[in-house]
């Protein structure tokens, strides 16, 4: 696709007008005072947006990118998540794809250390049946990156859940399908528990946050933490030492490191469909710029999860509170354990399906895009089909 903003036609002007009308003002652009040759980290907000444009040039469906204003959170605000040292507005980077009239709305929330562009292989297929809206969570990707002031799990959850709700209000959305991946699945589930009236269906893709280290089967993590290696790693975790800090520390070597990881994970060591060279290069460039930008949302990690990625407030404990039909999607080689979803389903009083996709790992939507699309369409059959009960599980997928 040629991005709507880049088209040299009247449609480009219309896309720009739409974007401008949705945001009350434009976010401030951050530029480095240092010339490129002297910069340790080669990125700015402009670099992130330009990298996003290049990656989404692979998508054929026209779209509009906008920065949705969710408020400024002036000093002294009772909403701590929006507290700031200035009155500078906060924005959520949002991409909306063209769709058929009356298509149900599908909102996509990315995972930790990711951004909405990770779904570049899925936008065309999903936009054929949904009005697709993908967002960068507050503190990630091309969204605002305010200072992270949270000091507890409750405050950290509010940072993401409440900023998403402010975004929903600004977009005037209601009755939509919410899809979240990994940490984004955790946020989506917590949001759906707090605001079920807005959600038609919840889709959780390899969601984090269902397991607690207090469970007997994870006793090994306690034993490992008692070793000197475990103690060091646990200290780094509690000090909020993130992957992002490693990439930033590599300075000019950072882009090379990210390219090597992307080409390995989705190339030579791919579980499913290998990225093309162009896809790999564009995704690596995009990932690098989103990782090394100002630390913000990434600092949530130690407040949401303990060492070993165990939730401090597990979703498993909230199963009985769910009021929205849900579908869990896991790659067959996903490191996230689908058994947590099985345990949660036993407590739920709403319809819940668990589906596993072959030839896919944690990034099922990249590893096996066709299998992922089939699963999403099947999960939403009651919203897409006139006769949903006649539809059977697509071939190759496994119902758990």
């Amino acid at each position: 696709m040629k991005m709507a903003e880049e088209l040299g036609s009247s449609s480009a002007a219309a896309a720009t007008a739409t974007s401008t009308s949705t945001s009350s003002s434009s976010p401030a652009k951050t530029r480095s005072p240092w010339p490129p040759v002297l910069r340790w980290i080669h990125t700015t907000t402009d670099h992130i947006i330009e990298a996003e444009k290049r990656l989404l040039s692979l998508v054929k469906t026209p779209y509009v990118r906008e920065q949705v204003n969710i408020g400024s959170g002036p000093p002294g605000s009772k909403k701590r998540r929006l507290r700031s040292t200035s009155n500078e507005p906060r924005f959520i980077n949002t991409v909306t794809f063209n769709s058929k009239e009356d298509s149900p709305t599908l909102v996509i929330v990315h995972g930790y250390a990711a951004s909405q562009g990770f779904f570049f292989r899925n936008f065309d297929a999903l936009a054929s049946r949904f009005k697709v809206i993908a967002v960068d969570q507050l503190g990630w990707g091309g969204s605002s990156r305010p200072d992270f002031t949270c000091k507890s799990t409750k405050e950290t959850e509010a940072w993401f859940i409440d900023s998403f709700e402010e975004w929903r209000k600004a977009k005037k959305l209601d009755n939509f399908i919410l899809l979240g991946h990994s940490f984004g699945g955790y946020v989506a589930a917590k949001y759906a528990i707090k605001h079920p009236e807005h959600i038609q269906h919840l889709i959780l893709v390899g969601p984090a946050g269902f397991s607690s280290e207090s469970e007997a089967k994870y006793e090994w993590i306690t034993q490992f933490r008692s070793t000197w290696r475990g103690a060091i790693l646990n200290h780094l975790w509690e000090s909020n030492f993130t992957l992002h800090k490693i990439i930033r520390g590599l300075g000019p070597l950072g882009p090379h490191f990210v390219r090597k990881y992307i080409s390995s994970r989705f190339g030579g060591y791919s579980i499913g469909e290998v990225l093309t060279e162009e896809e790999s290069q564009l995704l690596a460039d995009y990932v690098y710029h989103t990782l090394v930008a100002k630390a913000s949302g990434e600092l949530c990690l130690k407040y949401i999860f303990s060492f070993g990625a165990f939730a401090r407030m597990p979703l498993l404990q909230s199963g009985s509170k769910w009021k929205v039909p849900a579908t869990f999607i896991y790659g067959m080689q996903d490191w996230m354990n689908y058994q947590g979803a099985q345990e949660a389903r036993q407590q739920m009083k709403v319809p819940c399906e668990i589906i596993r996709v072959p030839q896919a790992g944690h990034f099922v939507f990249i590893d096996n895009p066709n299998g992922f699309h089939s699963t999403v369409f099947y999960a939403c059959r009651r919203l897409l089909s006139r006769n949903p009960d006649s539809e059977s599980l697509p071939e190759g997928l496994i119902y758990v």
Side-chain angles (χ1 to χ4, degrees):
M1 169 198 91
K2 295 299 181 184
M3 181 174 175
E5 295 166 321
E6 298 177 320
L7 291 176
S9 64
S10 59
S11 61
T16 303
T18 303
S19 175
T20 303
S21 65
T22 307
S23 301
S24 60
S25 61
S26 298
K29 295 182 179 180
T30 57
R31 296 181 182 278
S32 172
W34 298 95
V37 71
L38 296 179
R39 293 179 200 161
W40 183 250
I41 298 175
H42 292 261
T43 197
T44 63
T45 301
D46 290 340
H47 281 113
I48 294 175
I49 300 305
E50 289 303 316
E52 176 189 281
K53 289 180 182 179
R54 290 191 292 271
L55 180 62
L56 296 188
S57 70
L58 299 172
V59 182
K60 296 182 176 64
T61 307
Y63 69 90
V64 173
R65 188 188 73 82
E66 54 191 324
Q67 296 282 52
V68 178
N69 190 332
I70 62 170
S72 60
S77 169
K78 292 181 180 179
K79 297 180 180 178
R80 184 186 178 100
R81 76 185 190 282
L82 296 178
R83 185 175 293 174
S84 173
T85 55
S86 72
N87 289 324
E88 183 178 329
R90 310 288 174 82
F91 293 85
I92 297 296
N93 188 42
T94 306
V95 175
T96 303
F97 292 84
N98 285 8
S99 61
K100 297 177 182 177
E101 191 174 351
D102 298 326
S103 296
T105 299
L106 173 67
V107 176
I108 298 177
V109 181
H110 63 82
Y112 187 86
S115 302
Q116 52 84 8
F118 270 67
F119 290 87
F120 72 96
R121 276 189 157 186
N122 317 113
F123 290 137
D124 281 330
L126 296 178
S128 69
R129 304 192 70 178
F130 300 102
K131 176 182 179 181
V132 177
I133 305 177
V135 301
D136 287 335
Q137 297 191 68
L138 182 64
W140 297 97
S143 291
S144 298
R145 292 177 179 247
D147 294 336
F148 191 81
T149 59
C150 302
K151 299 298 181 184
S152 69
T153 301
K154 187 175 181 180
E155 287 182 0
T156 304
E157 287 186 353
W159 164 286
F160 295 104
I161 296 169
D162 294 351
S163 60
F164 184 82
E165 173 61 3
E166 293 301 316
W167 172 85
R168 183 201 66 79
K169 291 177 182 176
K171 289 290 289 179
K172 299 179 181 179
L173 285 178
D174 205 3
N175 295 322
F176 56 93
I177 302 159
L178 181 57
L179 183 154
H181 171 243
S182 196
F183 171 67
Y186 178 89
V187 173
K190 292 281 185 173
Y191 177 85
I193 290 172
K194 186 173 182 179
H195 300 285
E197 67 275 13
H198 304 304
I199 310 300
Q200 292 174 299
H201 196 90
L202 181 65
I203 301 177
L204 304 180
V205 185
F210 275 86
S211 301
S212 168
E213 66 175 285
S214 62
E215 297 174 38
K217 59 185 175 183
Y218 297 120
E219 205 172 290
W220 64 269
I221 195 69
T222 303
Q223 296 173 352
F224 176 70
R225 193 184 288 123
S226 66
T227 67
W228 67 269
R229 290 187 182 87
I232 291 174
L233 291 175
N234 184 66
H235 174 73
L236 290 174
W237 184 281
E238 294 298 331
S239 300
N240 244 339
F241 187 81
T242 64
L243 165 68
H244 307 66
K245 292 181 179 179
I246 297 175
I247 305 301
R248 293 186 191 106
L250 289 172
L253 296 178
H256 175 73
F257 180 88
V258 174
R259 283 195 297 270
K260 290 288 287 183
Y261 167 75
I262 295 296
S263 63
S264 286
R265 169 59 184 84
F266 301 110
Y269 292 95
S270 176
I271 296 170
E273 186 177 320
V274 176
L275 291 181
T276 66
E277 184 176 349
E278 181 183 21
E279 288 176 325
S280 182
Q281 291 177 349
L282 292 176
L283 180 59
D285 180 53
Y286 174 70
V287 170
Y288 169 74
H289 289 297
T290 60
L291 287 180
V292 300
K294 176 187 173 183
S296 181
E298 74 188 70
L299 300 177
C300 73
L301 197 61
K302 77 168 188 176
Y303 297 107
I304 298 293
F305 304 105
S306 62
F307 175 63
F310 296 102
R312 297 189 187 276
M313 296 178 66
L315 285 164
L316 188 57
Q317 298 174 359
S318 305
S320 61
K321 299 179 182 178
W322 289 38
K323 299 179 181 179
V324 177
T327 300
F328 292 80
I329 301 175
Y330 293 88
M332 288 294 288
Q333 285 78 43
D334 197 331
W335 63 274
M336 287 293 180
N337 195 337
Y338 69 90
Q339 294 175 345
Q342 287 181 305
E343 293 178 40
R345 181 170 58 183
Q346 295 174 3
Q347 304 175 29
M348 294 180 188
K349 301 175 183 177
V350 293
C352 174
E353 298 176 320
I354 303 172
I355 301 174
R356 302 181 72 190
V357 180
Q359 296 182 306
H362 190 52
F363 291 93
V364 55
F365 45 89
I366 295 179
D367 293 328
N368 187 348
N370 290 331
F372 174 72
H373 304 150
S374 296
T375 309
V376 173
F377 295 149
Y378 180 76
C380 298
R381 60 193 180 280
R382 299 195 179 281
L383 299 171
L384 295 172
S385 175
R386 293 181 179 179
N387 191 13
D389 293 329
S390 66
E391 295 199 18
S392 57
L393 187 70
E395 185 178 354
L397 303 181
I398 300 173
Y399 191 89
V400 180

